[in-house]
Amino acid sequence: GAVVSQHPSWVICKSGTSVKIECRSLDFQATTMFWYRQFPKQSLMLMATSNEGSKATYEQGVEKDKFLINHASLTLSTLTVTSAHPEDSSFYICSALGGGATYEQYFGPGTRLTVT
Amino acid sequence: DQQVKQNSPSLSVQEGRISILNCDYTNSMFDYFLWYKKYPAEGPTFLISISSIKDKNEDGRFTVFLNKSAKHLSLHIVPSQPGDSAVYFCAARGQAGTALIFGKGTTLSVSS
């Protein structure tokens, strides 16, 4: 149980275009999901907290108009990278917050974005 | 300002020996600490965790030790196996329901 999927797993796009990444909790409902970004040989950096039915909370330094987050249902959050630039190329990982006393986070497999 | 630090970027160990991965933190309000294993281009895989009210948690070959006074935790893997070779991330949580804060990771290489 507690499986989180991401789609696509790998995407290449041209500069200036937008790309959408989906994060789904497959066998549980998640009112809260998190989006992280990892550059090569770096840590996972939190970008934003996504709450179902409300606006996302962005970390300092993350442009909310560039990284659009929509958490429209209890099992789906989407991250749209708008007007992508090569420096947006990174590995994007989502996690979904489970219920219960420990509030465990379940991570998706990640999405590799390459902007050419 | 890095709240979770893994100061050793890499560690090499022989098969069968003990691997010790270290992690330091600065925020005394963290209530939960976790270790994840990660391969390139994959999401992190949960290994083991420890609550701030405990000083040790064991699960099979993996043991995590927490020293709150030193703000230090360590992951022990005994015996180490070649399949353990991966990047290990230490993570901490400020309170239930909040995002995890990750260290930069330590690359473990276990040679046979």
Side-chain angles (χ1 to χ4, degrees):
Chain A
V3 178
V4 175
S5 70
Q6 279 185 244
H7 179 80
S9 57
W10 180 65
V11 58
I12 299 175
C13 70
K14 293 187 176 181
S15 289
T17 62
S18 297
V19 61
K20 180 186 287 187
I21 302 170
E22 294 185 348
C23 176
R24 293 181 185 272
S25 55
L26 297 185
D27 49 3
F28 66 103
Q29 293 182 330
T31 56
T32 302
M33 292 184 177
F34 303 102
W35 286 95
Y36 295 84
R37 178 169 55 182
Q38 184 189 23
F39 292 108
K41 297 187 189 262
Q42 295 295 314
S43 181
L44 281 73
M45 299 301 296
L46 178 67
M47 297 176 67
T49 301
S50 167
N51 292 299
E52 187 267 336
S54 64
K55 289 184 179 181
T57 303
Y58 290 82
E59 295 299 299
Q60 191 174 10
V62 178
E63 299 175 59
K64 62 180 180 181
D65 294 330
K66 179 171 185 60
F67 298 99
L68 302 179
I69 291 173
N70 186 0
H71 195 154
S73 78
L74 289 172
T75 59
L76 173 64
S77 175
T78 60
L79 167 68
T80 301
V81 183
T82 63
S83 187
H85 286 276
E87 54 264 34
D88 298 325
S89 299
S90 188
F91 192 62
Y92 293 85
I93 306 173
C94 73
S95 71
L97 194 63
T102 59
Y103 290 93
E104 280 196 49
Q105 286 188 34
Y106 303 97
F107 284 85
T111 296
R112 167 72 60 195
L113 170 64
T114 301
V115 184
T116 61
Chain B
D1 182 30
Q2 228 182 325
Q3 297 187 67
V4 178
K5 301 176 185 178
Q6 291 177 259
N7 292 320
S8 297
S10 63
L11 174 68
S12 294
V13 172
Q14 280 193 320
E15 182 178 8
R17 308 292 283 265
I18 184 172
S19 295
I20 300 176
L21 297 103
N22 293 304
C23 178
D24 297 295
Y25 62 95
T26 58
N27 190 341
S28 58
M29 299 303 291
F30 287 143
D31 73 336
Y32 218 70
F33 303 90
L34 307 92
W35 284 94
Y36 286 86
K37 178 179 180 181
K38 187 180 181 302
Y39 295 109
E42 292 185 12
T45 302
F46 171 74
L47 276 177
I48 192 170
S49 63
I50 187 167
S51 165
S52 61
I53 62 173
K54 303 203 170 193
D55 55 20
K56 178 182 176 181
N57 187 26
E58 192 172 351
D59 183 3
R61 296 187 298 116
F62 303 93
T63 303
V64 56
F65 295 92
L66 176 62
N67 182 334
K68 284 189 68 176
S69 61
K71 295 191 178 68
H72 176 84
L73 63 155
S74 60
L75 173 68
H76 292 212
I77 306 174
V78 181
S80 301
Q81 301 172 352
D84 295 329
S85 298
V87 180
Y88 288 77
F89 286 94
C90 170
R93 189 184 75 183
Q95 63 185 55
T98 61
L100 299 177
I101 298 172
F102 285 85
K104 287 191 173 182
T106 297
T107 300
L108 173 64
S109 300
V110 181
S111 57
S112 55

